[in-house]
Amino acid sequence: MRSPRYTILVANRKTGAVRRLTISRRVAGVVLTGVLAVPLLLGLGTRGADVAQLDVLQSANESLMQENQSYREATGELTTQISSLQTALTELGQQAQLDSATRTALEKLARMRPLAIGGPTTADLKATQTAVATTPEGTFGILRGLLGALETRLESVKTQIERQKAWARAAPSIWPLTGQFTYTSPYGNRKDPFTGETAFHPGLDIAAEQGVPVHATADGTVETAEYDGNYGKAVVLSHGFSISTRYGHLSQFAVKAGQKIKRGDVIGYVGATGRVTGAHLHYEILLSGTRISPLTILGR
């Protein structure tokens, strides 16, 4: 059976000419299908492009979220480290507190022998803290800079505090005798008790009963514990920092050469050995081998 055919008339309005186009149903169906399919295909293509773009945006968003999380974690870690260092600095400052007697002795000794110190200043830390960051990398840079400055400061403070502690342990900050006592002959020129002539007295004579315990006035090492001419039985302690002390006219020793001692340890007992007129303690402080007045350090 012959397929139905369709005739399409196309008229020209100006000339009035008419043209006829005859096509079969099959061809008409193909043409109609094509016309309808074009918008559909275009819509599908656009939809596919939107889906692809959405995938790209989602991937970028996930990447940004991961970077942001890493940034927060890194920033938090650096901030925690900085906080820990600041706490350590505060604790070190508290540990550096000295009792009034030791502080007074240190201040007086420091005038005679200043200690060298150094390290970053507070202004250095403030300059780092007030820097401006406009990017994550800049923020990291500031935090790392502050962390580095604090670490340097911490090491410097540790060194200073350790040196101060050692310096404090070496300072003869207590009297060698406890309880009530008086000194009978000060440091300096005096009338010699045997000749009556003016003579230099290199230490301090402290009146005490025979056998009263004598205490080390600072941490140190026993340099000598022996009979030493006019000093009689005497102990010399080396405290470091070129500081030493001498305790003369003892009745007996409680330590021996090379022994480590702490401030307050008993090193001997008051006696009347050597060139004396009676029982008492002769006490000297030496700084770089030069005798200084014990009253300059201790006061009384």
Side-chain angles (χ1 to χ4, degrees):
M1 178 177 179
R2 188 174 181 180
S3 174
R5 302 178 69 83
Y6 299 94
T7 300
I8 300 174
L9 299 178
V10 181
N12 190 321
R13 291 182 179 180
K14 293 182 178 181
T15 62
V18 177
R19 294 185 180 182
R20 290 180 175 82
L21 178 63
T22 302
I23 58 175
S24 65
R25 178 186 292 180
R26 181 178 299 175
V27 174
V30 171
V31 172
L32 181 60
T33 300
V35 171
L36 295 176
V38 168
L40 180 61
L41 291 175
L42 288 175
L44 290 175
T46 303
R47 181 180 177 81
D50 289 342
V51 171
Q53 186 175 10
L54 182 60
D55 289 341
V56 171
L57 289 175
Q58 287 177 339
S59 177
N61 184 53
E62 291 175 357
S63 178
L64 287 174
M65 290 178 63
Q66 291 176 355
E67 290 179 3
N68 190 40
Q69 179 64 25
S70 299
Y71 171 74
R72 286 198 299 269
E73 290 175 355
T75 302
E77 183 178 349
L78 285 172
T79 303
T80 300
Q81 291 176 354
I82 290 170
S83 178
S84 297
L85 286 174
Q86 290 174 327
T87 301
L89 282 169
T90 301
E91 291 175 350
L92 281 174
Q94 294 172 348
Q95 292 173 11
Q97 299 300 316
L98 303 173
D99 61 84
S100 59
T102 302
R103 183 169 57 252
T104 299
L106 280 177
E107 289 171 353
K108 292 178 178 179
L109 283 170
R111 295 191 194 104
M112 304 176 191
R113 184 192 175 111
L115 293 176
I117 59 176
T121 65
T122 302
D124 295 330
L125 297 181
K126 287 183 177 178
T128 305
Q129 289 174 317
T130 55
V132 177
T134 57
T135 64
E137 291 76 11
T139 301
F140 279 130
I142 290 174
L143 290 175
R144 290 192 184 99
L146 178 58
L147 185 63
L150 284 172
E151 287 176 341
T152 301
R153 178 65 174 168
L154 182 62
E155 290 305 313
S156 176
V157 169
K158 280 183 177 178
T159 300
Q160 292 180 39
I161 289 177
E162 287 303 317
R163 184 171 177 80
Q164 178 176 284
K165 285 181 177 178
W167 181 235
R169 289 191 295 268
S173 60
I174 65 172
W175 286 82
L177 300 180
T178 60
Q180 297 295 322
F181 59 85
T182 59
Y183 56 89
T184 56
S185 184
Y187 171 93
N189 292 326
R190 68 169 185 176
K191 183 180 289 188
D192 188 283
F194 290 96
T195 67
E197 298 178 355
T198 300
F200 179 75
H201 186 232
L204 188 67
D205 285 345
I206 306 173
E209 297 291 332
Q210 179 93 6
V212 170
V214 177
H215 302 270
T217 56
D219 290 9
T221 303
V222 178
E223 189 173 314
T224 60
E226 60 189 12
Y227 198 94
D228 186 12
N230 290 341
Y231 289 108
K233 290 182 178 180
V235 171
V236 176
L237 303 179
S238 176
H239 305 289
F241 298 95
S242 299
I243 302 171
S244 59
T245 52
R246 178 181 280 116
Y247 311 78
H249 309 312
L250 303 178
S251 60
Q252 56 181 308
F253 302 115
V255 293
K256 58 183 179 180
Q259 184 175 336
K260 300 291 184 181
I261 52 91
K262 296 291 185 181
R263 179 184 286 117
D265 287 352
V266 175
I267 59 172
Y269 300 89
V270 171
T273 57
R275 188 173 184 267
V276 297
T277 59
H280 71 280
L281 174 69
H282 175 86
Y283 177 60
E284 294 180 5
I285 297 177
L286 298 90
L287 184 60
S288 298
T290 301
R291 295 176 181 86
I292 62 175
S293 172
L295 295 180
T296 302
I297 305 301
L298 298 174
R300 190 173 176 84

